Amino acid sequence: TELAPERVAAVRYAFETFAAEALTVAGLAVRMNRLGHTMYGRPWMKGTLEGLLRNPVYRGTVRLGNVTRSEFARYDGTKIVRVKNPDSTLIRNPVECHILTPDQ
């Protein structure tokens, strides 16, 4: 947090404002951009902000398995299953396949 206080401020602003005001995610992105908040130097987009607000890590939960780049296998929520992904492209796994560890 000492290395990027502006990022911490932007994330905190997003959560506090979204919780306190009747704004859409798109409206919040517009406001954050007008206020000069950026994410890694880029303007906020609706999809980026939705991902941030839905990310369980901000409430203290570690999430693993939300994406797979594996060429041969992935975790389906209960076991390792085969996949055909020869070029190792990014695959977004369904929520039920995520491994969540709360209170971290």
Side-chain angles (χ1 to χ4, degrees):
T1 58
E2 296 96 23
L3 298 176
E6 67 283 347
R7 276 191 240 158
V8 173
V11 169
R12 184 170 286 133
Y13 179 84
F15 276 95
E16 289 173 353
T17 304
F18 192 71
E21 299 183 27
L23 278 174
T24 64
V25 177
L28 179 58
V30 168
R31 182 186 293 179
M32 289 180 69
N33 291 329
R34 284 187 184 148
L35 293 172
H37 291 292
T38 63
M39 187 55 129
Y40 301 106
R42 293 185 165 160
W44 285 95
M45 304 294 284
K46 178 185 174 238
T48 306
L49 198 48
E50 283 175 338
L52 176 108
L53 293 170
R54 288 186 176 135
N55 191 338
V57 74
Y58 292 105
R59 64 176 186 263
T61 299
V62 174
R63 176 179 63 183
L64 300 172
N66 58 320
V67 294
T68 299
R69 284 188 185 260
S70 176
E71 185 176 344
F72 304 109
R74 73 173 175 83
Y75 182 69
D76 75 353
T78 59
K79 62 187 176 303
I80 303 293
V81 296
R82 289 180 165 226
V83 295
K84 290 184 180 179
N85 190 17
D87 54 356
S88 297
T89 57
L90 183 78
I91 299 170
R92 297 205 179 277
N93 295 320
V95 173
E96 57 271 10
C97 295
H98 298 185
I99 302 167
L100 300 173
T101 307
D103 302 323
Q104 299 299 310

